[in-house]
Amino acid sequence: MYAFCLHERVPATNDNVRDPACWRFWVLATRQLDDELGTQENVGLKTLNRLTEPRGSVSWTELRAEVDWCVDI
């Protein structure tokens, strides 16, 4: 399983980097990533959003449920 994260607040400060509400997360099963991207070594936001449709990115408070969902697929 992979969990990608993005800090959304600009500018990044010591305070907002520590705040989990300032982050978005994308969770993908390893096999899904391997099936879709093969040996590709990087991925962008557009691809992450496509691969996680219809769920898309999640907040810190939704992350546990997303990980649990990904484990079950």
Side-chain angles (χ1 to χ4, degrees):
M1 175 180 316
Y2 286 86
F4 297 91
C5 57
L6 172 70
H7 182 261
E8 295 186 304
R9 297 278 168 86
V10 176
T13 65
N14 287 338
D15 289 332
N16 69 27
V17 168
R18 287 188 296 244
D19 181 1
C22 296
W23 294 82
R24 296 300 296 174
F25 301 88
W26 295 260
V27 179
L28 290 160
T30 301
R31 73 171 171 253
Q32 180 186 7
L33 209 54
D34 290 345
D35 289 348
E36 294 284 337
L37 303 180
T39 60
Q40 183 175 322
E41 295 185 5
N42 55 49
V43 62
L45 291 178
K46 184 177 178 180
T47 301
L48 286 174
N49 285 325
R50 179 180 58 81
L51 293 175
T52 55
E53 284 181 350
R55 300 169 331 277
S57 67
V58 296
S59 68
W60 171 256
T61 59
E62 302 165 309
L63 184 57
R64 174 62 188 261
E66 190 68 9
V67 168
D68 290 344
W69 181 88
C70 193
V71 167
D72 289 339
I73 61 167

